[in-house]
Amino acid sequence: MCLLSQKDVVVSWKPSSEYGGNMYRGEGIIEDTPENIIPFMYLPEHRMHWDKALKSYTLLERIDEDTAICHTVTHSYGMGLISSRDFVDLVRVKRYEGGIVTTNSMSVDYPECPPSPSHIRGHNNPCGYVCSPLPQSPGHSKLVVFIQPDLGGRLPRSLVESALPNNIINLINDTRAGIKAWGR
């Protein structure tokens, strides 16, 4: 297992059993409750205001109160050397005893949102967020992020694997800054 720690965020990774890449785990503390943090992270009306990695984020279909199909488009990177990616994911929110809230996601085929020539279609293997209240620090939560994306295209695996830990660090730090700016 490998480890990277930056700005109060710890990221670890190990080979995935789902695909040829790694499964990543990022962890950080956020000042708010799980019931506020999780919707803030996955509902488009919030996410597009704070997630700097995204070009667009759309809820394609609401299946029920806690389940949706979402379309995510990332910005290109490296002055266009790395093309924009898009993902179509089934997202399920679950609540557990003790105030724990999770998202559970994976890519799905969705005929109403076919691949576009302007992006490379990526595939999210099972992934999600686990957000737990911190009893010793009321109003704070531990956010744990699990991802194992296959970004598609012809990127060298080493380039992908070197970039993903920093993407998780940025996700958690952008969530912190977004929650603070949101003022809840």
Side-chain angles (χ1 to χ4, degrees), residues 3-180:
L3 189 69
L4 175 65
S5 182
Q6 244 181 48
K7 299 179 186 174
D8 299 323
V9 178
V10 177
V11 179
S12 58
W13 59 95
K14 65 180 185 177
S16 171
S17 60
E18 297 286 330
Y19 77 119
N22 289 323
M23 178 171 68
Y24 295 86
R25 179 185 193 276
E27 183 178 313
I29 305 301
I30 298 190
E31 189 175 348
D32 209 331
T33 63
E35 280 294 336
N36 288 335
I37 294 168
I38 291 297
F40 185 77
M41 292 186 75
Y42 91 92
L43 291 174
E45 59 263 30
H46 302 300
R47 188 145 186 193
M48 283 309 301
H49 294 287
W50 63 266
D51 194 336
K52 297 172 188 164
L54 299 187
K55 188 175 189 176
S56 70
Y57 181 77
T58 310
L59 195 146
L60 298 173
E61 181 181 341
R62 167 82 57 198
I63 296 169
D64 64 32
E65 181 183 345
D66 295 319
T67 311
I69 296 176
C70 298
H71 181 231
T72 307
V73 180
T74 66
H75 290 288
S76 60
Y77 292 98
M79 297 176 7
L81 292 174
I82 298 173
S83 300
S84 173
R85 295 317 200 245
D86 80 325
F87 302 86
V88 176
D89 296 319
L90 175 67
V91 179
R92 173 89 173 146
V93 175
K94 291 188 80 171
R95 289 161 183 79
Y96 297 89
E97 253 183 68
I100 298 168
V101 183
T102 67
T103 65
N104 309 276
S105 309
M106 69 181 297
S107 285
V108 293
D109 290 325
Y110 192 70
E112 289 83 355
C113 188
S116 160
S118 23
H119 319 291
I120 294 175
R121 177 65 48 99
H123 178 85
N124 281 322
N125 292 288
C127 57
Y129 310 140
V130 178
C131 197
S132 310
L134 294 176
Q136 71 275 23
S137 187
H140 291 75
S141 301
K142 177 168 74 169
L143 175 67
V144 182
V145 174
F146 294 95
I147 64 167
Q148 42 184 353
D150 181 348
L151 298 181
R154 296 186 177 166
L155 291 174
R157 172 70 45 206
S158 60
L159 177 64
V160 171
E161 302 298 343
S162 67
L164 285 173
N166 284 318
N167 287 1
I168 294 172
I169 289 168
N170 291 340
L171 173 70
I172 292 173
N173 284 323
D174 288 350
T175 302
R176 286 176 177 153
I179 291 263
K180 197 170 280 193

